[in-house]
Structure formats: C-alpha cells, structure tokens
Amino acid sequence: MAKIVFTVLWAGVVIAVNSMLDGNTWAQYLSTFVLGGIYAFTVDKVPGPRGKRTQEGPGL
C-alpha cells in the first residue's frame, strides 16, 4: 500500500513540476527524465507488503 501511495504522490510532483515549466519543452523533458530516475531508485526503498516475495527464486 505504501508503494501505491508513494507512486500517486510522486505523480503529483511530476505534474506540478511540468506545469511550472509550461512553455519550456526541453526543461519539461529533462525534469521528467530526472524525476523518473529518482523515482526508479527511490521506489525500491519504500516498504512493501510483508511476507510476500517480490522476486522469483532460481527454481520458480
């Protein structure tokens, strides 16, 4: 549940930044790329459901 909340909040951040940079296309692309990278590295640190495997093992 925490990852879903984090993702929704992060989408709000991306929308807010893009609306502030309206009219400056290259800055919108750059900010989307940077914020996407930050999201990709950060979302793994957000705690997920306990007791569920997030990755498959070698025999599965």
Side-chain angles (χ1 to χ4, degrees):
M1 181 70 172
K3 287 188 180 192
I4 294 171
V5 172
F6 178 75
T7 300
V8 170
L9 290 175
W10 197 255
V13 169
V14 172
I15 291 169
V17 169
N18 276 331
S19 66
M20 286 190 309
L21 296 173
D22 191 29
N24 198 346
T25 306
W26 67 268
Q28 285 180 321
Y29 286 133
L30 182 63
S31 68
T32 301
F33 179 76
V34 169
L35 290 173
I38 293 170
Y39 173 80
F41 286 114
T42 307
V43 74
D44 288 335
K45 295 178 179 24
V46 176
R50 296 179 191 258
K52 292 186 178 179
R53 294 183 64 173
T54 58
Q55 296 179 351
E56 293 185 12
L60 300 175

